[in-house]
Amino acid sequence: MCGIVGYIGEQDSKEILLRGLEKLEYRGYDSAGIAVLNHNGVHVFKEKGRIAVLREIVDASVSAPIGIGHTRWATHGVPSKVNAHPHQSSTKRFTLVHNGVIENYNHLKRDYLQSVHFESETDTEVIVQLIEQFVDKGLEVESAFRETLKLLKGSYALGLLDNQDQDTIYVAKNKSPLLIGLGKGFNVVASDAMAMLQVTDQYVELMDKETVIVKKDSVTIKNLEGTVIERAPYTAELDASDIEKGTYPHYMLKEIDEQPAVVRKIIGNYRNENGELTVDSDIRQAMIGADRIYIIAAGTSYHAGLVGKQYIEKLANVPVEVHISSEFSYNMPLLSEKPLFIFISQSGETADSRAVLVQIKEMGYKALTITNVQGSTLSREADYTLLLHAGPEIAVASTKAYTAQIAVLAILARDTARAKGIDIDFDLSQELGIVASAMETLVDAKEEMEQIARDYLSTTRNCFFIGRGIDYYVGMEGALKLKEISYIQAEGFAGGELKHGTIALIEDGTPIIALATQENVNLGIRGNVKEVVARGANPCIISMKGLNEEDDRYVIPTVHELFTPLVSVIPVQLISYYAALHRECDVDKPRNLAKSVTVE
Ligand code: M6R
């Protein structure tokens, strides 16, 4: 997490840095800072809180053509002004911003920096102090920077200023994302192209353990041995309007509304000349060659993986295991003879998933990444990629990425089935078209969903989501959505499991959101609802047309029963949104969270 930016050119850098940080706030938002350098030296402004708070303390009279900035998600040390970046060396000659975690920072302090006084509790300060120490010992700054990097264990994206050199930003990357943006007479640095789209759409990717000397007219990439590396830039295919809220009060609401269009876009992007939804032949071959698929993901992406398992097993007849990435790396199951790994990640940067990818690549296995971000780490390091085409997802709560992940998994499963000669009795393109239309009806049901949030969630302490089969997985996703943005304690349970313990929590008025979209378990889930109602629960049943009963609170349009998660998730997203809104929570930036979880 954390986002970093840098600018070197001829304009005043302050506003460019602040606007860049505003675009990166999704990566962390507990404190922020910028450092700008001019002929009077370096000027550091930092504060606890959001970029808006930082804006208020930046001295408008300071003008400087070079600067770096940071928005923080705290790992080492509480959110505070003193722990906010940039951090400076003892003499204040060097100023640094850092995204990542230095695992051996305590050892480095002990082995190299015993006499140094540290201002903050951060791991970052160790880096800037080490650079100064190497320079004091007589190294040139560039060599001191590289020698320091060689000592670091962990992840970093770094931007460094030297107040004796107004012509250079020193940059380095390992495991944390970082891009260099190219302009005419200026260059920029950013954790994500979105941040600097305001000034350029030309970017150069950096690989791990590379350093960059960024000047206003040149960018020189080197490895840690100092060998120059040539790399062509690419054009970031992002539309500036994609990253604005427009007339919406929150990104989350905008992204919920975008879901029908995203499903249609996926249909368009994956359709071949025969009208079939297909993936690249090398991905298809990898799927056919696998005796077992291992899906690795976190959070909402894990929930999409659970649905994907159903598709791949039911349609393509390949066994699938779904694992939480942070558990898998330390507790690897016995693997089959010919496994294929599928990583699902909106951001493509989730550190827990990346740790597994590194592990399984070392073991010689193949990996496919399903992601929204082209060129992201998980995409670059996997053998194959399937893109979500969902457009930037900015709200911390994932919505359109979830439905896009499920749609892409359906296409992957369908195409594998076709390649294996398995007959499927429906046309996926047509079924997803029906799903997109049903989604349109649901995103228009905002008033009903707001009323449900009022009726069930305005004062409650907790809420349970129940379902059976595929509805259970949507319940888990609903609970995650509700808890992360409204702070109501919420859990998703398999309906039949309640009586094995959880039913003890049911009190008078406890809200239960039950999903009933599956014919084979419709009676079962309704039986479970009766059990909790008998103990005082307040049930809100969301069913599908054709399976609905009189007291159901909301009935979603009929879609193929395999694809109900794409549709039934929308009511739970909207209910969560309104519950958070009614409680005056910060919907897009919930407490303690960040969009891109780049620390393990
Ligand atoms: O970028 P990823 O899909 O790998 O992120 C995984 C989770 O961190 C993410 O889905 C998280 O659970 C969301 N905040 C849920 O809304």
Side-chain angles (χ1 to χ4, degrees):
M1 3 264 254
C2 304
I4 73 173
V5 287
Y7 171 88
I8 179 162
E10 277 162 9
Q11 291 185 51
D12 179 23
S13 57
K14 291 193 311 290
E15 187 53 29
I16 296 169
L17 296 173
L18 288 169
R19 285 195 351 233
L21 288 179
E22 276 159 0
K23 294 284 178 277
L24 291 183
E25 227 179 3
Y26 72 90
R27 303 180 65 87
Y29 35 83
D30 58 44
S31 53
I34 61 169
V36 294
L37 181 59
N38 62 15
H39 50 277
N40 292 326
V42 70
H43 306 261
V44 176
F45 306 97
K46 56 186 192 173
E47 198 46 271
K48 185 178 169 189
R50 305 273 165 100
I51 312 299
V53 179
L54 175 64
R55 262 188 185 285
E56 281 170 23
I57 60 139
V58 170
D59 182 347
S61 67
V62 174
S63 175
I66 167 169
I68 52 179
H70 186 274
T71 180
R72 180 169 186 247
W73 187 86
T75 56
H76 296 65
V78 295
S80 66
K81 180 172 175 174
V82 79
N83 288 332
H85 298 220
H87 291 285
Q88 293 189 288
S89 58
S90 298
T91 65
K92 306 216 182 301
R93 173 169 172 185
F94 295 102
T95 306
L96 182 80
V97 290
H98 167 219
N99 166 30
V101 170
I102 304 305
E103 290 155 12
N104 60 337
Y105 81 107
N106 264 328
H107 291 130
L108 293 171
K109 261 188 187 178
R110 187 195 59 206
D111 295 347
Y112 298 91
L113 299 164
Q114 275 195 5
S115 57
V116 172
H117 168 74
F118 283 82
E119 296 283 334
S120 74
E121 302 161 83
T122 65
D123 50 343
T124 305
E125 207 181 330
V126 167
I127 309 172
V128 73
Q129 300 289 12
L130 279 171
I131 294 167
E132 180 155 280
Q133 197 169 85
F134 277 120
V135 169
D136 286 348
K137 286 185 181 150
L139 290 192
E140 295 292 325
V141 176
E142 190 184 328
S143 309
F145 189 48
R146 278 207 302 272
E147 287 313 305
T148 300
L149 298 177
K150 287 180 191 164
L151 295 177
L152 304 182
K153 287 203 171 71
S155 54
Y156 54 77
L158 301 172
L160 175 79
L161 294 182
D162 171 5
N163 72 9
Q164 296 182 9
D165 174 4
Q166 283 173 51
D167 295 326
T168 314
I169 304 178
Y170 296 88
V171 166
K173 171 201 149 40
N174 187 44
K175 296 189 192 168
S176 296
L178 199 60
L179 299 168
I180 307 296
L182 308 180
K184 287 203 170 59
F186 71 90
N187 288 305
V188 292
V189 179
S191 301
D192 182 329
M194 266 198 280
M196 286 297 170
L197 213 54
Q198 45 163 326
V199 290
T200 183
D201 64 356
Q202 295 299 302
Y203 289 88
V204 179
E205 271 179 13
L206 299 183
M207 302 300 155
D208 286 350
K209 304 213 165 145
E210 288 182 345
T211 63
V212 198
I213 308 300
V214 185
K215 300 193 180 270
K216 73 178 171 146
D217 295 317
S218 68
V219 164
T220 311
I221 307 175
K222 295 184 182 176
N223 64 18
L224 285 190
E225 280 62 55
T227 310
V228 173
I229 295 162
E230 299 296 340
R231 188 164 302 130
Y234 70 93
T235 305
E237 284 171 13
L238 281 171
D239 186 335
S241 67
D242 284 350
I243 57 175
E244 300 299 338
K245 277 206 293 265
T247 53
Y248 282 90
H250 297 101
Y251 281 108
M252 183 180 177
L253 197 61
K254 175 176 181 258
E255 289 160 6
I256 290 173
D257 271 7
E258 284 170 353
Q259 292 178 103
V262 169
V263 169
R264 293 212 164 89
K265 196 164 169 203
I266 289 171
I267 298 172
N269 280 323
Y270 281 95
R271 201 182 344 235
N272 69 11
E273 59 284 359
N274 302 323
E276 296 161 335
L277 299 180
T278 58
V279 297
D280 287 347
S281 60
D282 49 354
I283 299 178
R284 190 179 310 131
Q285 289 310 319
M287 289 291 286
I288 303 175
D291 62 357
R292 185 170 287 261
I293 308 277
Y294 294 83
I295 292 181
I296 310 292
T300 288
S301 298
Y302 169 73
H303 296 154
L306 294 170
V307 177
K309 168 183 162 76
Q310 301 291 313
Y311 296 171
I312 297 169
E313 290 191 339
K314 288 197 168 121
L315 300 180
N317 205 22
V318 186
V320 180
E321 291 182 24
V322 191
H323 292 272
I324 293 173
S325 45
S326 57
E327 283 295 309
F328 191 90
S329 22
Y330 303 100
N331 195 13
M332 201 179 282
L334 277 179
L335 298 178
S336 64
E337 273 182 31
K338 291 184 280 175
L340 174 68
F341 285 81
I342 300 181
F343 291 83
I344 307 179
S345 174
Q346 188 285 130
S347 62
E349 299 295 345
T350 298
D352 291 327
S353 299
R354 197 209 176 203
V356 180
L357 177 57
V358 170
Q359 253 178 319
I360 62 105
K361 290 306 292 173
E362 277 168 11
M363 293 162 84
Y365 297 126
K366 295 271 188 207
L368 158 66
T369 290
I370 299 179
T371 183
N372 203 24
V373 184
Q374 192 166 20
S376 57
T377 306
L378 287 173
S379 165
R380 278 202 318 269
E381 295 181 0
D383 301 275
Y384 323 102
T385 296
L386 288 175
L387 288 176
L388 299 179
H389 302 290
E393 190 182 67
I394 293 167
V396 165
S398 184
T399 53
K400 62 177 178 174
Y402 171 80
T403 39
Q405 286 162 346
I406 292 176
V408 170
L409 283 160
I411 293 169
L412 179 66
R414 174 66 187 93
D415 198 35
T416 308
R418 185 182 295 113
K420 289 178 78 176
I422 298 172
D423 255 359
I424 304 289
D425 63 356
F426 60 80
D427 174 344
L428 181 60
S429 180
Q430 200 177 326
E431 297 303 334
L432 290 180
I434 296 170
V435 161
S437 302
M439 284 173 144
E440 261 150 19
T441 308
L442 288 160
V443 296
D444 283 345
K446 294 191 178 65
E447 275 178 30
E448 290 94 319
M449 298 309 150
E450 174 154 31
Q451 196 53 48
I452 293 176
R454 275 192 208 291
D455 293 348
Y456 290 85
L457 302 172
S458 43
T459 56
T460 191
R461 262 187 320 124
N462 55 12
C463 173
F464 299 106
F465 288 77
I466 62 170
R468 284 176 170 242
I470 219 164
D471 285 338
Y472 163 40
Y473 305 142
V474 179
M476 290 164 79
E477 173 57 10
L480 176 59
K481 224 69 319 163
L482 183 63
K483 72 180 124 184
E484 74 175 324
I485 60 170
S486 75
Y487 318 140
I488 296 171
Q489 192 188 353
E491 299 305 333
F493 287 103
E497 185 66 9
L498 281 174
K499 58 185 170 295
H500 298 289
T502 310
I503 203 164
L505 294 172
I506 304 296
E507 296 170 345
D508 260 359
T510 303
I512 298 277
I513 299 180
L515 296 153
T517 74
Q518 303 293 304
E519 191 171 6
N520 64 334
V521 289
N522 196 27
L523 290 178
I525 193 68
R526 288 177 186 280
N528 300 137
V529 170
K530 286 199 172 73
E531 289 160 7
V532 289
V533 168
R535 286 153 182 89
N538 187 14
C540 170
I541 301 179
I542 296 172
S543 62
M544 188 171 71
K545 196 160 179 219
L547 300 176
N548 56 308
E549 293 187 5
E550 204 184 342
D551 290 332
D552 293 354
R553 181 63 194 247
Y554 191 81
V555 181
I556 64 173
T558 310
V559 298
H560 189 293
E561 66 170 5
L562 272 182
F563 306 121
T564 58
L566 290 161
V567 179
S568 60
V569 77
I570 294 179
V572 300
Q573 292 169 345
L574 283 169
I575 292 167
S576 304
Y577 171 79
Y578 287 112
L581 205 63
H582 296 161
R583 289 175 183 235
E584 298 182 357
C585 298
D586 189 339
V587 173
D588 284 339
K589 298 193 185 82
R591 71 184 177 207
N592 305 338
L593 291 174
K595 181 71 180 164
S596 186
V597 186
T598 54
V599 291
E600 279 178 60

